[in-house]
Amino acid sequence: MSDVARRAGVSTKTVSNVLRGAPGASTATRRRVLEAVTALDYRLNPSASALRSGRRGSITLAIPTLQQPLYAALAQELMRAADDTTVILELTSGEAEHEQEILAGSWARRSDAAVLVPRALDPASLPAGEASSPAPLALIADSGPVGVPRVSCPLDAQAALVAAHLRSLGRIRPAVVGVASAADRWTRACVRGLRESGLRVDDDAVLRVGSPDGMLGGVEAVARLAYTGLPVDAVVCHNDALAAGAVSALRRRGVRVPLEVAVIGRGNTDAAAFATPTLTSVDLDLPAIARGALSLLSIGADATGSEGSPAPGPLEPRPVETTPALSVRGSTVDDAGAAPGRRGEPHRGQV
């Protein structure tokens, strides 16, 4: 642009105004600028312009899979919150190499910013400097490296809600169905929170599954739990898909849910609202998570207080936390009065 300005004998601001079609330049000035543009074969760089102004023309959302209802719901909320900003989905398949490429900025060739939901990598364990993306990157994760903005729902608060609800039901021996992934911190936090509340969680009742995205993982967890012979009166699952699988497996074994064993999921997705019985689930406030991620990238109303106007200045690598709630349904309380609601409009039980 400076080259064009020198050739046309005008300022770079005038060049910018002419190329954007802004008023103010005379016909002669506009002609000189356009002639210089043609002579120098100058082309605008939309991504550079977006980064300079703070606008984001497109963002990449990198998630492990769309088969997991929690990730699919998150993608939907992010697209809704992004409004007219294009969201490009990138499926990492939970592969460490793919997630590392995202952290290194592989997405910068096709979008102006990125949101990563890691699974294979624990970002907090990366050596300093490895997560050095060339442009704005935000994580949706329970941990992260210094200097990288992230959004999370506090794990201790989630565990406290679950523990309080189980205690109110008189349940004392829960099992925990977690996941076997490097980024998972929920499993340990849940077990710790339940134990600190006075509930008994046997070591053999802590089950990590390698297939966390569908019902099969919950079915396998119940089979493993049955093999141990441990008496449990509740099953707390990493996500709603696992919880739905656990309910199905328990019922096939003749176990009455929730009379004999209560089941709790996580995510408060449609999988919970329309399961049979409907699932009690920890609501992570996905709309707030989506808005928080976009605010860290200077996109959307939360970034400025006014829709569509970018926030000025550099990004601040501050963590954003949402507030969990518990949607109480039929998998823990018969006739709980919680009609199946759409995600984002749950019955948020008071516990």
Side-chain angles (χ1 to χ4, degrees):
M1 190 175 289
S2 296
D3 293 339
V4 171
R6 280 193 297 270
R7 187 180 183 96
V10 298
S11 67
T12 55
K13 182 177 181 180
T14 298
V15 174
S16 176
N17 288 339
V18 170
L19 295 179
R20 290 187 295 108
S26 67
T27 301
T29 298
R30 189 177 300 277
R31 183 172 57 250
R32 290 203 312 274
V33 169
L34 294 178
E35 288 174 351
V37 166
T38 300
L40 296 174
D41 195 25
Y42 174 77
R43 290 180 175 85
L44 284 171
N45 184 328
S47 294
S49 300
L51 292 173
R52 181 178 178 86
S53 67
R55 294 189 302 272
R56 308 283 179 244
S58 63
I59 61 173
T60 291
L61 171 61
I63 55 178
T65 177
L66 283 173
Q67 291 180 319
Q68 167 57 250
L70 185 57
Y71 297 145
L74 174 63
Q76 180 174 313
E77 292 297 344
L78 192 74
M79 290 177 179
R80 180 180 292 119
D83 195 15
D84 59 354
T85 299
T86 300
V87 177
I88 302 171
L89 281 177
E90 181 164 344
L91 303 182
T92 65
S93 300
E95 297 174 352
E97 182 178 359
H98 201 157
E99 293 179 0
Q100 185 65 66
E101 290 173 352
I102 296 294
L103 287 171
S106 62
W107 48 268
R109 297 188 300 270
R110 57 193 174 277
S111 60
D112 306 314
V115 177
L116 170 64
V117 183
R119 170 181 284 177
L121 294 178
D122 178 4
S125 68
L126 296 175
E130 280 200 22
S132 54
S133 183
L137 168 71
L139 298 175
I140 298 178
D142 297 318
S143 64
V146 176
V148 178
R150 66 182 176 88
V151 185
S152 66
C153 186
L155 298 176
D156 291 343
Q158 296 179 45
L161 283 174
V162 172
H165 184 54
L166 292 179
R167 286 175 60 86
S168 73
L169 299 174
R171 308 300 169 117
I172 59 174
R173 296 192 66 168
V176 174
V177 179
V179 300
S181 67
D184 172 57
R185 298 201 169 196
W186 174 87
T187 306
R188 182 176 299 178
C190 182
V191 172
R192 181 179 63 248
L194 296 179
R195 286 173 174 170
E196 289 177 352
S197 74
L199 301 180
R200 176 175 174 176
V201 184
D202 295 294
D203 289 342
D204 288 342
V206 180
L207 309 162
R208 292 179 181 266
V209 298
S211 304
D213 296 320
M215 296 176 62
L216 180 59
V219 172
E220 292 176 348
V222 168
R224 288 165 54 189
L225 188 61
Y227 180 78
T228 67
L230 289 172
V232 300
D233 53 17
V235 178
V236 183
C237 298
H238 180 275
N239 58 60
D240 291 338
L242 292 176
V247 168
S248 176
L250 287 168
R251 296 179 74 183
R252 285 205 304 271
R253 291 176 177 272
V255 178
R256 293 172 293 174
V257 177
L259 185 61
E260 295 176 288
V261 175
V263 179
I264 298 178
R266 178 169 169 264
N268 200 34
T269 62
D270 286 348
F274 295 101
T276 304
T278 54
L279 293 172
T280 291
S281 182
V282 178
D283 189 325
L284 308 178
D285 202 345
L286 293 182
I289 288 177
R291 293 193 303 269
L294 293 176
S295 74
L296 292 174
L297 301 175
S298 299
I299 300 172
D302 281 9
T304 63
S306 61
E307 191 71 41
S309 301
L315 292 172
E316 297 179 6
R318 64 189 187 281
V320 173
E321 293 187 341
T322 65
T323 302
L326 194 67
S327 291
V328 179
R329 298 191 178 95
S331 66
T332 60
V333 180
D334 271 333
D335 301 320
R342 300 299 296 177
R343 182 174 30 78
E345 300 177 354
H347 170 72
R348 298 165 85 87
Q350 301 298 314
V351 295

